[in-house]
Amino acid sequence: DQQVKQNSPSLSVQEGRISILNCDYTNSMFDYFLWYKKYPAEGPTFLISISSIKDKNEDGRFTVFLNKSAKHLSLHIVPSQPGDSAVYFCAATSYNNNDMRFGAGTRLTVKP
Amino acid sequence: DAMVIQNPRYQVTQFGKPVTLSCSQTLNHNVMYWYQQKSSQAPKLLFHYYDKDFNNEADTPDNFQSRRPNTSFCFLDIRSPGLGDAAMYLCATSRARAPGQALVETEAFFGQGTRLTVV
């Protein structure tokens, strides 16, 4: 049962443009959402998060938007840089459990 | 300095031969997770500990067991590895979100993973 879904396995954008990565979830108990970035041969590293009491969280070039009614969140990277090329995972967790569930990831390629 | 360390990075084991993967942390986090990730798939949560409280996922095969002797260490034991168990195994830690408490940011910190090959 895939509770967190990333339907785009890959995304390619030009340097300087905006990258938008999408994530959908099915479990209405999720109340905290995270994005992780993964380079080859490394474990995922935390990038940015958002709680369900907010609809937007911004950190430098990275902004996460949450639409609770649609059970959808997105990560915006602007401007995109070649060093942003990596696999991005969306994750979610619920207030009554310490589990953390992941989507399948989206491979972002930023072309110079 | 690495805060979540997984050993070994690469493990080759024979079909049916028990194997143990290890994870240690210096963050003093009370939650530890084990994930299995196969190529191009989502990391799949196998189980997690909240302190010594073990939480097994319903679809985690009985072949997979775990031990957490103390806060710092957690082990994944695969009793009889099959070819289908070949994967990347990721360990992660986080602060706990206790029920009833205000929301606490609890991002997980991951180790580099152990890639398991079954021959």
Side-chain angles (χ1 to χ4, degrees), chain A residues 13-70:
Chain A
V13 300
Q14 206 67 36
E15 181 179 7
R17 306 294 289 268
I18 185 171
S19 297
I20 300 176
L21 297 96
N22 293 302
C23 178
D24 298 289
Y25 62 96
T26 57
N27 188 343
S28 57
M29 302 294 277
F30 289 146
D31 67 340
Y32 186 53
F33 305 89
L34 310 95
W35 285 94
Y36 287 83
K37 181 177 180 181
K38 186 181 183 302
Y39 292 116
E42 295 182 10
T45 55
F46 170 72
L47 185 60
I48 191 171
S49 63
I50 189 167
S51 71
S52 59
I53 61 174
K54 298 181 179 179
D55 55 17
K56 177 182 174 181
N57 189 28
E58 190 172 356
D59 184 4
R61 297 185 295 114
F62 303 91
T63 303
V64 57
F65 296 92
L66 175 63
N67 182 335
K68 283 185 293 183
S69 61

CSV table of all heavy atoms in Angstrom, one decimal, chain A residues 13-70:
chain,number,residue,atom,x,y,z
A,13,VAL,N,15.4,20.0,-16.3
A,13,VAL,CA,15.2,21.4,-16.4
A,13,VAL,C,16.5,22.1,-16.8
A,13,VAL,O,17.6,21.6,-16.6
A,13,VAL,CB,14.6,22.1,-15.2
A,13,VAL,CG1,13.3,21.5,-14.8
A,13,VAL,CG2,15.6,22.0,-14.0
A,14,GLN,N,16.4,23.3,-17.3
A,14,GLN,CA,17.6,24.1,-17.7
A,14,GLN,C,18.0,24.9,-16.5
A,14,GLN,O,17.2,25.3,-15.6
A,14,GLN,CB,17.2,25.0,-18.8
A,14,GLN,CG,18.3,25.5,-19.7
A,14,GLN,CD,18.9,24.3,-20.5
A,14,GLN,OE1,18.2,23.4,-21.0
A,14,GLN,NE2,20.2,24.4,-20.7
A,15,GLU,N,19.3,25.0,-16.4
A,15,GLU,CA,19.9,25.8,-15.3
A,15,GLU,C,19.3,27.2,-15.3
A,15,GLU,O,19.1,27.9,-16.3
A,15,GLU,CB,21.4,26.0,-15.5
A,15,GLU,CG,22.1,26.8,-14.4
A,15,GLU,CD,23.6,26.9,-14.6
A,15,GLU,OE1,24.1,26.4,-15.7
A,15,GLU,OE2,24.3,27.4,-13.7
A,16,GLY,N,18.9,27.7,-14.0
A,16,GLY,CA,18.3,29.0,-13.9
A,16,GLY,C,16.8,29.0,-13.9
A,16,GLY,O,16.2,30.0,-13.5
A,17,ARG,N,16.2,27.9,-14.4
A,17,ARG,CA,14.8,27.8,-14.5
A,17,ARG,C,14.2,27.2,-13.2
A,17,ARG,O,15.0,26.8,-12.3
A,17,ARG,CB,14.3,27.0,-15.7
A,17,ARG,CG,14.9,27.5,-17.0
A,17,ARG,CD,14.4,28.8,-17.4
A,17,ARG,NE,13.0,28.8,-17.8
A,17,ARG,CZ,12.5,28.7,-19.0
A,17,ARG,NH1,13.4,28.5,-20.0
A,17,ARG,NH2,11.2,28.7,-19.3
A,18,ILE,N,12.9,27.1,-13.1
A,18,ILE,CA,12.3,26.6,-11.9
A,18,ILE,C,12.1,25.1,-12.0
A,18,ILE,O,11.8,24.6,-13.1
A,18,ILE,CB,10.9,27.2,-11.6
A,18,ILE,CG1,10.3,26.7,-10.3
A,18,ILE,CG2,10.0,27.0,-12.7
A,18,ILE,CD1,9.1,27.5,-9.8
A,19,SER,N,12.4,24.3,-11.0
A,19,SER,CA,12.1,22.9,-10.9
A,19,SER,C,10.9,22.7,-10.0
A,19,SER,O,10.9,23.3,-8.9
A,19,SER,CB,13.3,22.1,-10.4
A,19,SER,OG,14.4,22.2,-11.2
A,20,ILE,N,10.0,21.9,-10.4
A,20,ILE,CA,8.8,21.7,-9.6
A,20,ILE,C,8.6,20.1,-9.4
A,20,ILE,O,8.4,19.5,-10.4
A,20,ILE,CB,7.5,22.3,-10.1
A,20,ILE,CG1,7.6,23.8,-10.2
A,20,ILE,CG2,6.3,21.9,-9.2
A,20,ILE,CD1,6.5,24.5,-10.9
A,21,LEU,N,8.8,19.7,-8.2
A,21,LEU,CA,8.6,18.2,-8.0
A,21,LEU,C,7.4,18.0,-7.2
A,21,LEU,O,7.1,18.7,-6.2
A,21,LEU,CB,9.8,17.7,-7.2
A,21,LEU,CG,11.2,17.8,-8.0
A,21,LEU,CD1,11.9,19.0,-7.6
A,21,LEU,CD2,12.0,16.5,-7.7
A,22,ASN,N,6.6,17.0,-7.6
A,22,ASN,CA,5.3,16.8,-7.0
A,22,ASN,C,5.2,15.5,-6.2
A,22,ASN,O,5.9,14.5,-6.4
A,22,ASN,CB,4.2,16.8,-8.1
A,22,ASN,CG,4.1,18.1,-8.7
A,22,ASN,OD1,3.8,19.1,-8.1
A,22,ASN,ND2,4.3,18.1,-10.1
A,23,CYS,N,4.3,15.5,-5.2
A,23,CYS,CA,4.1,14.4,-4.3
A,23,CYS,C,2.6,14.3,-3.9
A,23,CYS,O,2.0,15.4,-3.6
A,23,CYS,CB,5.0,14.6,-3.1
A,23,CYS,SG,4.9,13.3,-1.9
A,24,ASP,N,2.1,13.2,-3.9
A,24,ASP,CA,0.7,13.0,-3.4
A,24,ASP,C,0.7,11.9,-2.3
A,24,ASP,O,1.5,11.0,-2.3
A,24,ASP,CB,-0.2,12.5,-4.5
A,24,ASP,CG,-0.3,13.5,-5.7
A,24,ASP,OD1,-0.9,14.5,-5.5
A,24,ASP,OD2,0.3,13.2,-6.7
A,25,TYR,N,-0.3,12.1,-1.4
A,25,TYR,CA,-0.4,11.1,-0.3
A,25,TYR,C,-1.8,10.7,-0.1
A,25,TYR,O,-2.8,11.4,-0.5
A,25,TYR,CB,0.2,11.7,1.0
A,25,TYR,CG,-0.4,12.9,1.6
A,25,TYR,CD1,-1.4,12.8,2.5
A,25,TYR,CD2,0.0,14.2,1.1
A,25,TYR,CE1,-2.0,14.0,3.1
A,25,TYR,CE2,-0.6,15.3,1.6
A,25,TYR,CZ,-1.6,15.2,2.6
A,25,TYR,OH,-2.2,16.3,3.1
A,26,THR,N,-2.0,9.6,0.5
A,26,THR,CA,-3.4,9.1,0.7
A,26,THR,C,-3.9,9.0,2.1
A,26,THR,O,-5.0,9.0,2.4
A,26,THR,CB,-3.5,7.6,0.1
A,26,THR,OG1,-2.6,6.8,0.7
A,26,THR,CG2,-3.2,7.6,-1.4
A,27,ASN,N,-2.9,9.0,3.0
A,27,ASN,CA,-3.2,8.9,4.5
A,27,ASN,C,-3.5,10.2,5.1
A,27,ASN,O,-2.7,11.1,5.2
A,27,ASN,CB,-2.1,8.2,5.2
A,27,ASN,CG,-2.4,7.8,6.6
A,27,ASN,OD1,-3.4,8.3,7.2
A,27,ASN,ND2,-1.6,6.9,7.2
A,28,SER,N,-4.8,10.5,5.5
A,28,SER,CA,-5.2,11.8,6.0
A,28,SER,C,-4.6,12.0,7.4
A,28,SER,O,-4.7,13.1,8.0
A,28,SER,CB,-6.7,11.9,6.1
A,28,SER,OG,-7.2,10.8,6.8
A,29,MET,N,-4.0,11.0,8.0
A,29,MET,CA,-3.4,11.1,9.3
A,29,MET,C,-2.0,11.8,9.2
A,29,MET,O,-1.5,12.2,10.3
A,29,MET,CB,-3.2,9.7,10.0
A,29,MET,CG,-4.5,9.0,10.2
A,29,MET,SD,-5.6,9.8,11.3
A,29,MET,CE,-5.0,9.2,12.9
A,30,PHE,N,-1.4,11.8,8.1
A,30,PHE,CA,-0.1,12.4,7.9
A,30,PHE,C,-0.2,13.9,8.2
A,30,PHE,O,-1.1,14.6,7.8
A,30,PHE,CB,0.4,12.3,6.5
A,30,PHE,CG,0.9,10.9,6.1
A,30,PHE,CD1,0.7,10.4,4.8
A,30,PHE,CD2,1.5,10.1,7.1
A,30,PHE,CE1,1.1,9.2,4.5
A,30,PHE,CE2,1.9,8.8,6.7
A,30,PHE,CZ,1.7,8.3,5.4
A,31,ASP,N,0.7,14.4,9.0
A,31,ASP,CA,0.7,15.8,9.4
A,31,ASP,C,2.0,16.5,9.3
A,31,ASP,O,2.1,17.7,9.7
A,31,ASP,CB,0.0,16.0,10.8
A,31,ASP,CG,0.9,15.5,11.9
A,31,ASP,OD1,1.8,14.6,11.6
A,31,ASP,OD2,0.8,15.9,13.0
A,32,TYR,N,3.0,15.8,8.9
A,32,TYR,CA,4.3,16.4,8.7
A,32,TYR,C,5.0,15.8,7.5
A,32,TYR,O,5.0,14.6,7.4
A,32,TYR,CB,5.1,16.1,10.0
A,32,TYR,CG,6.5,16.8,10.1
A,32,TYR,CD1,6.6,18.2,9.9
A,32,TYR,CD2,7.6,16.1,10.3
A,32,TYR,CE1,7.8,18.8,9.9
A,32,TYR,CE2,8.9,16.7,10.4
A,32,TYR,CZ,9.0,18.1,10.2
A,32,TYR,OH,10.2,18.7,10.3
A,33,PHE,N,5.5,16.7,6.6
A,33,PHE,CA,6.0,16.2,5.3
A,33,PHE,C,7.4,16.7,5.1
A,33,PHE,O,7.7,17.8,5.5
A,33,PHE,CB,5.1,16.7,4.2
A,33,PHE,CG,3.6,16.4,4.4
A,33,PHE,CD1,2.8,17.2,5.2
A,33,PHE,CD2,3.1,15.2,3.9
A,33,PHE,CE1,1.5,16.8,5.4
A,33,PHE,CE2,1.8,14.8,4.2
A,33,PHE,CZ,1.0,15.6,4.9
A,34,LEU,N,8.2,15.9,4.5
A,34,LEU,CA,9.6,16.2,4.4
A,34,LEU,C,10.1,15.9,3.0
A,34,LEU,O,9.5,15.0,2.3
A,34,LEU,CB,10.4,15.4,5.4
A,34,LEU,CG,10.0,15.4,6.8
A,34,LEU,CD1,9.1,14.2,7.1
A,34,LEU,CD2,11.2,15.3,7.7
A,35,TRP,N,11.1,16.6,2.5
A,35,TRP,CA,11.8,16.3,1.3
A,35,TRP,C,13.2,16.0,1.6
A,35,TRP,O,13.9,16.7,2.4
A,35,TRP,CB,11.7,17.5,0.3
A,35,TRP,CG,10.4,17.7,-0.3
A,35,TRP,CD1,9.4,18.5,0.1
A,35,TRP,CD2,9.9,17.1,-1.5
A,35,TRP,NE1,8.3,18.4,-0.8
A,35,TRP,CE2,8.6,17.6,-1.8
A,35,TRP,CE3,10.5,16.2,-2.4
A,35,TRP,CZ2,7.9,17.1,-2.9
A,35,TRP,CZ3,9.7,15.8,-3.5
A,35,TRP,CH2,8.4,16.2,-3.7
A,36,TYR,N,13.7,14.9,0.9
A,36,TYR,CA,15.1,14.5,1.1
A,36,TYR,C,15.7,14.5,-0.3
A,36,TYR,O,15.0,14.3,-1.3
A,36,TYR,CB,15.1,13.1,1.6
A,36,TYR,CG,14.8,13.0,3.1
A,36,TYR,CD1,13.5,12.9,3.5
A,36,TYR,CD2,15.8,13.0,4.1
A,36,TYR,CE1,13.1,12.9,4.9
A,36,TYR,CE2,15.5,12.9,5.4
A,36,TYR,CZ,14.1,12.9,5.8
A,36,TYR,OH,13.8,12.8,7.1
A,37,LYS,N,17.0,14.7,-0.3
A,37,LYS,CA,17.8,14.7,-1.5
A,37,LYS,C,18.8,13.6,-1.4
A,37,LYS,O,19.4,13.4,-0.3
A,37,LYS,CB,18.5,16.1,-1.6
A,37,LYS,CG,19.4,16.3,-2.8
A,37,LYS,CD,19.9,17.7,-2.7
A,37,LYS,CE,20.8,18.1,-3.8
A,37,LYS,NZ,21.3,19.5,-3.7
A,38,LYS,N,19.0,12.9,-2.5
A,38,LYS,CA,19.9,11.7,-2.5
A,38,LYS,C,20.9,11.8,-3.7
A,38,LYS,O,20.4,11.8,-4.8
A,38,LYS,CB,19.2,10.4,-2.4
A,38,LYS,CG,20.1,9.2,-2.2
A,38,LYS,CD,19.3,7.9,-2.2
A,38,LYS,CE,20.2,6.7,-1.9
A,38,LYS,NZ,21.3,6.6,-2.9
A,39,TYR,N,22.2,11.8,-3.3
A,39,TYR,CA,23.2,11.6,-4.4
A,39,TYR,C,23.6,10.1,-4.4
A,39,TYR,O,23.4,9.4,-3.5
A,39,TYR,CB,24.4,12.4,-4.0
A,39,TYR,CG,24.2,13.9,-4.1
A,39,TYR,CD1,24.3,14.7,-3.0
A,39,TYR,CD2,23.9,14.6,-5.3
A,39,TYR,CE1,24.2,16.1,-3.0
A,39,TYR,CE2,23.8,15.9,-5.4
A,39,TYR,CZ,23.9,16.7,-4.2
A,39,TYR,OH,23.7,18.0,-4.3
A,40,PRO,N,24.1,9.7,-5.6
A,40,PRO,CA,24.5,8.3,-5.7
A,40,PRO,C,25.5,7.9,-4.6
A,40,PRO,O,26.4,8.7,-4.2
A,40,PRO,CB,25.2,8.2,-7.1
A,40,PRO,CG,24.6,9.4,-7.8
A,40,PRO,CD,24.3,10.4,-6.8
A,41,ALA,N,25.4,6.7,-4.1
A,41,ALA,CA,26.3,6.1,-3.1
A,41,ALA,C,26.2,6.8,-1.7
A,41,ALA,O,27.1,6.7,-0.9
A,41,ALA,CB,27.7,6.1,-3.6
A,42,GLU,N,25.2,7.6,-1.5
A,42,GLU,CA,25.0,8.3,-0.2
A,42,GLU,C,23.6,8.0,0.3
A,42,GLU,O,22.7,7.7,-0.5
A,42,GLU,CB,25.2,9.8,-0.3
A,42,GLU,CG,26.7,10.2,-0.7
A,42,GLU,CD,26.8,11.7,-0.7
A,42,GLU,OE1,25.9,12.4,-0.3
A,42,GLU,OE2,27.9,12.2,-1.2
A,43,GLY,N,23.4,8.2,1.6
A,43,GLY,CA,22.1,8.1,2.1
A,43,GLY,C,21.3,9.4,1.8
A,43,GLY,O,21.9,10.4,1.6
A,44,PRO,N,20.0,9.4,1.9
A,44,PRO,CA,19.2,10.6,1.7
A,44,PRO,C,19.6,11.6,2.8
A,44,PRO,O,19.8,11.3,4.0
A,44,PRO,CB,17.8,10.1,1.9
A,44,PRO,CG,17.8,8.7,1.6
A,44,PRO,CD,19.1,8.2,2.1
A,45,THR,N,19.6,12.9,2.4
A,45,THR,CA,19.8,14.0,3.4
A,45,THR,C,18.6,14.9,3.4
A,45,THR,O,18.0,15.2,2.3
A,45,THR,CB,21.1,14.8,3.1
A,45,THR,OG1,21.0,15.2,1.7
A,45,THR,CG2,22.3,13.9,3.2
A,46,PHE,N,18.2,15.3,4.6
A,46,PHE,CA,17.1,16.2,4.8
A,46,PHE,C,17.3,17.5,4.0
A,46,PHE,O,18.3,18.1,4.1
A,46,PHE,CB,16.8,16.4,6.3
A,46,PHE,CG,15.8,17.5,6.6
A,46,PHE,CD1,14.5,17.2,6.3
A,46,PHE,CD2,16.2,18.7,7.0
A,46,PHE,CE1,13.5,18.1,6.6
A,46,PHE,CE2,15.2,19.6,7.3
A,46,PHE,CZ,13.9,19.4,7.1
A,47,LEU,N,16.2,18.0,3.4
A,47,LEU,CA,16.2,19.2,2.6
A,47,LEU,C,15.3,20.3,3.3
A,47,LEU,O,15.8,21.4,3.6
A,47,LEU,CB,15.8,19.0,1.2
A,47,LEU,CG,15.9,20.1,0.2
A,47,LEU,CD1,17.4,20.6,0.1
A,47,LEU,CD2,15.5,19.6,-1.2
A,48,ILE,N,14.1,20.0,3.4
A,48,ILE,CA,13.1,21.0,3.9
A,48,ILE,C,11.8,20.2,4.3
A,48,ILE,O,11.6,19.1,3.8
A,48,ILE,CB,12.8,22.0,2.8
A,48,ILE,CG1,12.0,23.2,3.3
A,48,ILE,CG2,12.0,21.4,1.6
A,48,ILE,CD1,11.8,24.4,2.4
A,49,SER,N,11.1,20.8,5.2
A,49,SER,CA,9.9,20.1,5.7
A,49,SER,C,8.7,21.2,5.8
A,49,SER,O,8.9,22.4,5.8
A,49,SER,CB,10.1,19.5,7.0
A,49,SER,OG,10.5,20.5,8.0
A,50,ILE,N,7.5,20.6,6.1
A,50,ILE,CA,6.4,21.5,6.3
A,50,ILE,C,5.4,20.7,7.2
A,50,ILE,O,5.2,19.5,7.0
A,50,ILE,CB,5.7,21.9,5.0
A,50,ILE,CG1,4.6,23.0,5.2
A,50,ILE,CG2,5.1,20.7,4.2
A,50,ILE,CD1,4.2,23.7,4.0
A,51,SER,N,4.8,21.4,8.1
A,51,SER,CA,3.8,20.8,9.0
A,51,SER,C,2.4,21.1,8.4
A,51,SER,O,2.3,22.1,7.6
A,51,SER,CB,3.9,21.3,10.4
A,51,SER,OG,3.4,22.6,10.5
A,52,SER,N,1.4,20.3,8.8
A,52,SER,CA,0.1,20.5,8.2
A,52,SER,C,-0.6,21.8,8.6
A,52,SER,O,-1.7,22.1,8.1
A,52,SER,CB,-0.8,19.3,8.6
A,52,SER,OG,-0.9,19.1,10.0
A,53,ILE,N,0.0,22.5,9.6
A,53,ILE,CA,-0.7,23.7,10.0
A,53,ILE,C,-0.2,24.9,9.1
A,53,ILE,O,-0.7,26.0,9.2
A,53,ILE,CB,-0.3,24.1,11.5
A,53,ILE,CG1,1.2,24.3,11.7
A,53,ILE,CG2,-0.9,23.0,12.4
A,53,ILE,CD1,1.6,24.7,13.1
A,54,LYS,N,0.7,24.6,8.1
A,54,LYS,CA,1.1,25.6,7.2
A,54,LYS,C,0.8,25.2,5.8
A,54,LYS,O,0.5,24.0,5.5
A,54,LYS,CB,2.6,25.8,7.3
A,54,LYS,CG,3.1,26.3,8.7
A,54,LYS,CD,4.6,26.5,8.6
A,54,LYS,CE,5.1,27.0,10.0
A,54,LYS,NZ,6.6,27.1,9.9
A,55,ASP,N,0.8,26.1,4.9
A,55,ASP,CA,0.7,25.8,3.5
A,55,ASP,C,1.9,26.1,2.6
A,55,ASP,O,1.9,25.8,1.4
A,55,ASP,CB,-0.6,26.4,2.9
A,55,ASP,CG,-0.6,27.9,3.0
A,55,ASP,OD1,0.4,28.5,3.3
A,55,ASP,OD2,-1.7,28.5,2.9
A,56,LYS,N,2.9,26.7,3.3
A,56,LYS,CA,4.1,27.1,2.6
A,56,LYS,C,5.2,27.2,3.6
A,56,LYS,O,5.1,27.7,4.7
A,56,LYS,CB,3.9,28.4,1.9
A,56,LYS,CG,5.1,29.0,1.1
A,56,LYS,CD,4.8,30.3,0.5
A,56,LYS,CE,6.0,31.0,-0.1
A,56,LYS,NZ,5.7,32.3,-0.7
A,57,ASN,N,6.4,26.7,3.1
A,57,ASN,CA,7.6,26.9,3.9
A,57,ASN,C,8.8,27.1,2.9
A,57,ASN,O,8.9,26.4,1.9
A,57,ASN,CB,7.9,25.6,4.8
A,57,ASN,CG,9.0,25.9,5.8
A,57,ASN,OD1,9.3,27.0,6.2
A,57,ASN,ND2,9.8,24.9,6.1
A,58,GLU,N,9.5,28.1,3.2
A,58,GLU,CA,10.6,28.6,2.3
A,58,GLU,C,11.9,28.5,3.0
A,58,GLU,O,12.1,28.9,4.2
A,58,GLU,CB,10.2,30.0,1.8
A,58,GLU,CG,11.1,30.5,0.7
A,58,GLU,CD,10.5,31.8,0.2
A,58,GLU,OE1,9.5,32.3,0.7
A,58,GLU,OE2,11.2,32.4,-0.7
A,59,ASP,N,12.9,28.1,2.3
A,59,ASP,CA,14.3,28.1,2.8
A,59,ASP,C,15.2,28.3,1.6
A,59,ASP,O,15.6,27.4,0.8
A,59,ASP,CB,14.6,26.8,3.4
A,59,ASP,CG,16.0,26.7,4.1
A,59,ASP,OD1,16.7,27.8,4.0
A,59,ASP,OD2,16.4,25.7,4.6
A,60,GLY,N,15.6,29.6,1.4
A,60,GLY,CA,16.5,29.9,0.3
A,60,GLY,C,15.8,29.7,-1.0
A,60,GLY,O,14.8,30.2,-1.3
A,61,ARG,N,16.5,28.9,-1.8
A,61,ARG,CA,16.0,28.6,-3.2
A,61,ARG,C,14.8,27.5,-3.1
A,61,ARG,O,14.3,27.2,-4.2
A,61,ARG,CB,17.1,28.1,-4.1
A,61,ARG,CG,18.2,29.1,-4.3
A,61,ARG,CD,19.2,28.6,-5.3
A,61,ARG,NE,20.0,27.4,-4.9
A,61,ARG,CZ,19.8,26.2,-5.4
A,61,ARG,NH1,19.1,26.0,-6.4
A,61,ARG,NH2,20.6,25.2,-4.9
A,62,PHE,N,14.6,26.9,-2.0
A,62,PHE,CA,13.7,25.8,-1.9
A,62,PHE,C,12.4,26.3,-1.2
A,62,PHE,O,12.5,26.9,-0.1
A,62,PHE,CB,14.3,24.7,-1.1
A,62,PHE,CG,15.6,24.2,-1.7
A,62,PHE,CD1,16.8,24.7,-1.3
A,62,PHE,CD2,15.6,23.2,-2.7
A,62,PHE,CE1,18.0,24.3,-1.9
A,62,PHE,CE2,16.7,22.7,-3.3
A,62,PHE,CZ,17.9,23.3,-2.9
A,63,THR,N,11.3,26.0,-1.8
A,63,THR,CA,10.0,26.2,-1.2
A,63,THR,C,9.1,25.0,-1.3
A,63,THR,O,9.0,24.4,-2.4
A,63,THR,CB,9.3,27.4,-1.9
A,63,THR,OG1,10.1,28.6,-1.8
A,63,THR,CG2,8.0,27.7,-1.2
A,64,VAL,N,8.4,24.6,-0.2
A,64,VAL,CA,7.5,23.5,-0.3
A,64,VAL,C,6.1,24.1,0.0
A,64,VAL,O,5.9,24.9,0.8
A,64,VAL,CB,7.9,22.4,0.8
A,64,VAL,CG1,7.9,23.0,2.2
A,64,VAL,CG2,6.9,21.3,0.7
A,65,PHE,N,5.2,23.6,-0.9
A,65,PHE,CA,3.8,24.0,-0.8
A,65,PHE,C,3.0,22.8,-0.4
A,65,PHE,O,3.2,21.7,-0.9
A,65,PHE,CB,3.3,24.5,-2.1
A,65,PHE,CG,4.0,25.8,-2.6
A,65,PHE,CD1,5.1,25.8,-3.4
A,65,PHE,CD2,3.5,27.0,-2.2
A,65,PHE,CE1,5.7,26.9,-3.8
A,65,PHE,CE2,4.1,28.2,-2.6
A,65,PHE,CZ,5.2,28.2,-3.4
A,66,LEU,N,2.0,23.0,0.5
A,66,LEU,CA,1.1,21.9,0.9
A,66,LEU,C,-0.3,22.3,0.6
A,66,LEU,O,-0.8,23.3,1.0
A,66,LEU,CB,1.3,21.6,2.4
A,66,LEU,CG,0.4,20.6,3.0
A,66,LEU,CD1,0.6,19.2,2.4
A,66,LEU,CD2,0.6,20.5,4.5
A,67,ASN,N,-1.0,21.4,-0.1
A,67,ASN,CA,-2.5,21.5,-0.3
A,67,ASN,C,-3.2,20.3,0.4
A,67,ASN,O,-3.2,19.2,-0.2
A,67,ASN,CB,-2.8,21.5,-1.8
A,67,ASN,CG,-4.2,21.7,-2.1
A,67,ASN,OD1,-5.1,21.4,-1.3
A,67,ASN,ND2,-4.5,22.2,-3.3
A,68,LYS,N,-3.6,20.6,1.6
A,68,LYS,CA,-4.2,19.4,2.4
A,68,LYS,C,-5.4,18.9,1.8
A,68,LYS,O,-5.7,17.7,1.8
A,68,LYS,CB,-4.4,19.9,3.8
A,68,LYS,CG,-3.2,20.0,4.7
A,68,LYS,CD,-3.6,20.3,6.1
A,68,LYS,CE,-4.1,21.7,6.2
A,68,LYS,NZ,-4.4,22.1,7.6
A,69,SER,N,-6.3,19.7,1.2
A,69,SER,CA,-7.5,19.2,0.7
A,69,SER,C,-7.3,18.3,-0.5
A,69,SER,O,-8.0,17.3,-0.7
A,69,SER,CB,-8.4,20.4,0.3
A,69,SER,OG,-7.8,21.2,-0.7
A,70,ALA,N,-6.2,18.6,-1.3
A,70,ALA,CA,-5.9,17.7,-2.4
A,70,ALA,C,-4.9,16.6,-2.0
A,70,ALA,O,-4.6,15.8,-2.9
A,70,ALA,CB,-5.3,18.6,-3.5
